[in-house]
Amino acid sequence: MAAIVTGLIPILRTAVDTTATYKCRSLWFGLLCVRLVVLFFAELPFSKLDADFTCNSSTPGSSTPDVCTKFCFNERFDKPMIVAWNFMFVVVVISVLLMELFTSHLRTMAQKRSFRMKADEKPEAQGTEEAQTVATAGGRGKMIIDLHKDRGTVGFYLLSIALRILVEACFLFLLLYWNLHALRDEHTCTKEGCKYVCILRAAPEKRMSIYALASISGIIIACSVLFCVYSIVHYLCNA
């Protein structure tokens, strides 16, 4: 639990302590937090995967050599699991941080324009802001990116969301076609000299972890696709 709290703190701090915001920003950070929580609990049944894997010789009275058990284990779990899950989460975080970096760039450009206006003593001369016009919210210097004013900003936003959809789709493929297949109840080794039947303890619980991860990933994909459709119709088609 300490690990999950440690992981949530920087995400929540970034979501709250910001100088600029944009449409659905809180939603993406909220989904990141939910994904991290689900990932933490989904990994618990896999903490002792090697100990849960047991093999037995089909020949009565013979014991299973340790090398055969290890071979059978590697044969059954021949695709990455925990490390791949964590790596996918890191890539999802990167897709969210891309928009954060772009938002920081927009704020910096807005500040430079503001300083230039004050230096020229022409606070009203600029008229309509180009590209990314921002508005001050709450009187505390927090700026809101107006996506109606710049198609380039909307395009970059959609690009970061498209990257998120791609990563989540790859994650679903990994879960359902790589990992779920390895969590069947029984496995028979094929190596010569190691014809053993192997059983995985608590396989239903481990499969439930896969289903939980796949569910939250599907929710993220659905939210991202819906927002992409909304953004194209609302910001691009009506511009």
Side-chain angles (χ1 to χ4, degrees), residues 45-160:
F46 295 88
S47 59
K48 298 181 179 179
L49 185 61
D50 55 340
D52 294 336
F53 189 76
T54 305
C55 295
N56 191 23
S57 173
S58 57
T59 304
S62 62
S63 60
T64 307
D66 186 60
V67 64
C68 285
T69 301
K70 292 181 179 179
F71 174 84
C72 293
F73 181 87
N74 291 336
E75 182 183 62
R76 181 165 181 174
F77 299 100
D78 59 337
K79 299 293 192 301
M81 296 185 72
I82 305 301
V83 175
W85 299 354
N86 293 325
F87 175 74
M88 288 294 183
F89 178 75
V90 171
V91 180
V92 171
V93 172
I94 291 175
S95 71
V96 176
L97 291 181
L98 282 177
M99 192 59 191
E100 291 297 308
L101 293 174
F102 189 66
T103 301
S104 177
H105 170 71
L106 297 183
R107 178 174 173 80
T108 301
M109 297 299 294
Q111 288 176 337
K112 288 182 179 179
R113 286 196 300 270
S114 177
F115 293 152
R116 192 179 300 116
M117 290 168 57
K118 292 179 180 180
D120 295 339
E121 295 183 350
K122 295 178 181 180
E124 302 293 334
Q126 293 295 327
T128 303
E129 295 286 341
E130 43 178 80
Q132 56 285 345
T133 301
V134 291
T136 302
R140 294 179 297 180
K142 186 175 182 179
M143 298 197 298
I144 303 173
I145 298 177
D146 189 354
L147 297 177
H148 290 91
K149 300 292 180 75
D150 181 23
R151 290 194 173 192
T153 302
V154 177
F156 188 87
Y157 195 6
L158 293 178
L159 178 64
S160 67

Side-chain angles (χ1 to χ4, degrees), residues 2-12 36:
I4 189 171
V5 172
T6 303
L8 283 173
I9 288 176
I11 295 177
L12 294 175
L36 180 60

